[in-house]
Amino acid sequence: MGLLSQLTRQVSPQPIAIHCGDEVIRLMQLDGSPKHSLRNAFEVGADDCGGLKEAIASFRGKRCVVCIDPSEVFVQHIRVEMDAEQQQVISCLQKHDAEWENAEIRSVCVKTTGSGGNMKQELLCVGIERTKLQQIVEKVETSGGRVIAVTVPLYASVRAFDKLYRRDGDEKITSMLIDMSKNSSMVMISHGANCVFAHRIGLRSVH
């Protein structure tokens, strides 16, 4: 099994990482070596469909992991019951912003409060408007790519520093990461490799 896994890694190229920004789309691919060396990188205009097709064709393989720009991402912390169902989570989110109703949502519990029958969970919720998500996936796939995953700066930024949090006790290290783009920025606080807080700041926001 170990040999088969090794052969698969050697034969299958790494996915193409695609970051969809406000004005440009950046693509890159690692070579799969332990050093994670950069094999290829490309940048095209956000509306340059021909350029995107040419860029994807220049990489090995067609599998793509797409990262959405911070301006397109919803982020919200909410506190709900421990056994809250998805619809209850959505209803709670809609109290903050009605646009959550049309979003593809993922959440993770970052903290629990209370005790006994009064315990609640604090969820870090991330969402992408479904129509926007579909448009981005279609843009990549009509240009020759095959989208296998979609992520957001929140997760991508934290995972970029995995190597810093490998030792016992590293989960106690508190770090702040900031992903900045033209129209908005994503501020994240992590304990080790675990994100415990995130907030999107608009261009005109001073908070």
Side-chain angles (χ1 to χ4, degrees):
M1 187 66 176
L3 177 60
L4 178 60
S5 177
Q6 182 178 359
L7 289 173
T8 301
R9 288 198 301 270
Q10 291 175 348
V11 174
S12 301
Q14 292 290 307
I16 304 166
I18 301 178
H19 182 277
C20 296
D22 298 313
E23 298 180 345
V24 299
I25 298 175
R26 296 183 174 92
L27 306 90
M28 61 169 283
Q29 186 177 45
L30 303 179
D31 63 4
S33 68
K35 293 183 179 181
H36 302 298
S37 300
L38 186 65
R39 178 190 296 278
N40 193 10
F42 222 104
E43 180 179 285
V44 300
D47 298 322
D48 186 358
C49 296
L52 180 60
K53 186 174 182 179
E54 180 182 345
I56 291 176
S58 72
F59 290 91
R60 290 187 59 192
K62 301 299 179 185
R63 298 185 307 145
C64 302
V65 175
V66 179
C67 184
I68 306 297
D69 188 80
S71 62
E72 304 292 348
V73 179
F74 305 139
V75 180
Q76 184 67 53
H77 287 260
I78 60 173
R79 186 171 295 174
V80 295
E81 302 295 334
M82 294 296 294
D83 58 352
E85 297 182 356
Q86 181 70 3
Q87 190 54 50
Q88 293 173 296
V89 171
I90 295 174
S91 297
C92 187
L93 289 169
Q94 286 181 262
K95 294 178 182 178
H96 296 276
D97 191 332
E99 291 187 358
W100 280 95
E101 181 181 4
N102 300 313
E104 188 69 29
I105 302 169
R106 297 292 182 271
S107 63
V108 60
C109 179
V110 297
K111 183 180 179 181
T112 57
T113 60
S115 60
N118 295 321
M119 287 190 67
K120 292 189 176 182
Q121 57 179 335
E122 182 175 320
L123 299 180
L124 170 55
C125 301
V126 179
I128 306 171
E129 202 273 320
R130 289 190 181 93
T131 301
K132 185 65 178 181
L133 180 62
Q134 184 178 358
Q135 290 173 348
I136 292 172
V137 172
E138 288 180 352
K139 176 184 287 188
V140 173
E141 297 199 333
T142 54
S143 298
R146 180 168 65 87
V147 178
I148 60 172
V150 177
T151 187
V152 296
L154 189 159
Y155 299 118
S157 298
V158 174
R159 289 298 307 275
F161 297 94
D162 275 354
K163 288 187 176 181
L164 301 180
Y165 307 114
R166 291 182 172 180
R167 300 170 301 182
D168 291 340
D170 282 350
E171 70 279 359
K172 298 178 181 179
I173 298 175
T174 300
S175 304
M176 175 181 285
L177 303 93
I178 303 176
D179 186 294
M180 303 179 68
S181 68
K182 180 179 179 181
N183 294 322
S184 65
S185 296
M186 188 79 73
V187 179
M188 299 148 278
I189 295 177
S190 68
H191 292 166
N194 299 312
C195 186
V196 296
F197 173 83
H199 182 65
R200 191 185 73 179
I201 302 174
L203 179 65
R204 298 182 183 275
S205 176
V206 294
H207 302 290

